[in-house]
Amino acid sequence: MTQAQNAPSVAELEAQEQRLVFRTFTHDDAWALGSLLVGLGRERQAPIAVDIHRAGQQLFHAALPGSTPDNDAWIARKRRVVERYGSASYLVGSRFRAKGTTFEDSSRLDPDRYAAHGGSFPITVAGVGVVGSVTVSGLPQIEDHRLVVEALERFLGV
């Protein structure tokens, strides 16, 4: 099965965002969520980097064996998409694809600074909105996205 055939729909991606909402998000939450992602990555021997930002501040960062400085560049580009659009980087890219175009062709944003590829997910606090992002880089984009969603589901118990 190809990545496109196995990809979630825009509606499924939007449902993930509606479901994966925090009551609060603290420095300790960032540490716990980041540590959970590192644990999942180690279990799978995944060559990933993990990043959590809130309100412009990096609260967590880790790079596992096999990851490279390029993963940090991808993290920054995907995180900027979440910050700009308030939605998961994979969802933003999927919305453009659903319209028959691509983010790169239609967003009018610099592709060296923005990447609507899977792996960055908004940290949304109920009653507040998007306050940050959790990002993984190192796997194919759908796998980056799914790893973040899996960690959020475990962390939030949903």
Side-chain angles (χ1 to χ4, degrees):
M1 189 174 291
T2 67
Q3 195 170 356
Q5 292 170 318
N6 201 19
S9 68
V10 168
E12 289 170 316
L13 294 166
E14 289 172 343
Q16 287 174 347
E17 287 190 0
Q18 292 168 4
R19 186 168 44 87
L20 299 172
V21 174
F22 292 79
R23 285 192 355 254
T24 63
F25 191 77
T26 66
H27 286 76
D28 289 340
D29 292 327
W31 177 261
L33 177 58
S35 297
L36 173 60
L37 275 161
V38 166
L40 292 171
R42 285 181 196 244
E43 284 173 18
R44 297 164 193 189
Q45 297 181 334
I48 60 170
V50 177
D51 180 89
I52 299 177
H53 265 70
R54 184 188 69 186
Q57 181 183 20
Q58 184 178 52
L59 300 183
F60 185 94
H61 184 84
L64 297 184
S67 64
T68 68
D70 195 46
N71 296 121
D72 292 331
W74 275 99
I75 283 170
R77 292 169 61 216
K78 293 190 280 189
R79 185 186 74 243
R80 285 185 195 106
V81 168
V82 173
E83 291 168 352
R84 184 166 187 121
Y85 289 86
S87 291
S89 54
Y90 193 76
L91 173 55
V92 172
S94 294
R95 285 176 173 152
F96 279 92
R97 288 187 293 278
K99 293 177 186 174
T101 186
T102 65
F103 176 82
E104 295 78 9
D105 288 341
S106 297
S107 71
R108 307 185 93 201
L109 296 173
D110 181 352
D112 290 335
R113 294 193 43 81
Y114 295 88
H117 290 253
S120 191
F121 202 92
I123 295 171
T124 304
V125 174
V128 176
V130 176
V131 299
S133 62
V134 52
T135 311
V136 167
S137 176
L139 303 170
Q141 66 169 325
I142 188 67
E143 292 179 39
D144 280 346
H145 175 81
R146 287 189 172 130
L147 182 58
V148 171
V149 169
E150 178 184 345
L152 287 168
E153 288 171 343
R154 287 187 188 195
F155 187 85
L156 294 168
V158 296

